[in-house]
Amino acid sequence: MINKEEEYAKMYHIEEKLWWYRTLHRKVINQIITHFGSENKTVKILDAACGTGGLIRTLLKSGYKEVNGFDYSKFAIAFAQRALDNIEFGDLKNLQAYRAEEKYDVICCMDALYFLTDKEIEDALFEFKKRLNPNGILLLNIHAFEIFSGMHDVAIGSTKRFVLSDFEKYSQSAGLKITYHTYWPFLLAVPILVVRQLQKIKLRFTKVEIDEAKSDVNYPGDFLNNLFHS
């Protein structure tokens, strides 16, 4: 997906209203509030592999004052910089090169680690730990369970899905402790599974080039979007 300008354009235009992103962003903010309290808006936050900046915009609108981000894709950065001036180039494989002296209270990395190998994920988590202030937290989101793979995975360039035991291993290697985890969206798992299985059938009988594959990032209309969000 890194080189798919069309996918980043879709993300940029619907990220703040699509049910999936709205729920994810709320979950991020809830975890920050749980850890630091609802009145503390001065925590220093980094969004690593921030995409088009939707989470950062949501955090700023929620009153958080110091939020920065980086991404590897020039298209993601270009879209993010339309509304934000705190977005730079950065590489999850070379975290030492991004603002090497800065530390953070919160580091977020949403749906990006699947670009890395197991060893690279462990290295990234180790670097994240080094960049956290005392009492700091790392918030991750990543797609789960191979049974849910489909056209979306082809479109975004993912070759692997994860389960909790993967991150237990990664975290132990990086010296991190998992204090909260969840699989979501639980209630929508069945319809999502049906869609992905239909996509797999299509992939089995139709050769799809990665450049031609389309992700599931689409606005379903107000009624379905509000229903799914609920």
Side-chain angles (χ1 to χ4, degrees), residues 6-21:
E6 178 186 354
E7 290 290 343
Y8 285 112
K10 290 195 299 181
M11 181 188 298
Y12 176 75
H13 289 296
I14 67 174
E15 190 171 3
E16 290 175 81
K17 64 179 181 178
L18 185 65
W19 67 273
W20 175 273
Y21 291 116

Side-chain angles (χ1 to χ4, degrees), residues 5 8 23-24 36 69 79-80 103 122 141 148-149 164 167 198-199 206-207 219 225:
E5 183 177 12
Y8 285 112
T23 305
L24 175 59
F36 294 100
F79 281 112
K103 291 183 177 288
E122 291 176 358
N141 193 70
F148 286 95
S149 64
L164 176 61
F167 280 87
L198 290 173
Q199 291 177 354
T206 306
K207 183 178 180 181
Y219 191 70
N225 191 61

